[in-house]
Amino acid sequence: MSLLSAGPGTYTVKRIDTDDKEMNAFLFRLGCYSGEKITVVSSKKKSCVVVIKDGRYSLDDYLASNIIVQDEVPGEGGAESQASNS
């Protein structure tokens, strides 16, 4: 699934789905590359706020739709673990 369609929680980046070398380089500098954990803080129709490494970023819909993520990482944030911690 793309990052734009992912709900709040922690995911693993599966791949960056673009041939744009500049976008790949930009995302790599942020620490967003295959195998890296990424946390979605909030998601809206045209953007999402994510935490990559120790940085918090707002990504537009174009960037977020090109980041393909795997299912939520067990035991890391997410709606389920936040609810159980309350």
Side-chain angles (χ1 to χ4, degrees):
M1 86 182 101
S2 77
L3 191 61
L4 194 59
S5 63
T10 301
Y11 301 87
T12 301
V13 176
K14 187 173 182 179
R15 69 178 185 277
I16 307 299
D17 198 15
T18 183
D19 292 328
D20 185 340
K21 291 181 182 182
E22 287 183 32
M23 181 190 295
N24 276 331
F26 173 72
L27 290 170
F28 186 80
R29 282 193 301 271
L30 294 181
C32 183
Y33 46 84
S34 182
E36 189 60 39
K37 291 181 187 175
I38 187 168
T39 301
V40 177
V41 176
S42 68
S43 183
K44 297 186 179 185
K45 199 174 208 179
K46 297 272 184 174
S47 67
C48 62
V49 176
V50 299
V51 174
I52 305 169
K53 304 266 183 198
D54 288 327
R56 186 177 211 151
Y57 306 98
S58 177
L59 304 178
D60 67 9
D61 60 339
Y62 181 68
L63 274 174
S65 65
N66 286 293
I67 301 171
I68 307 302
V69 294
Q70 293 179 5
D71 292 335
E72 204 164 316
V73 177
E76 295 275 335
E80 296 90 27
S81 65
Q82 287 178 359
S84 66
N85 290 336
S86 298

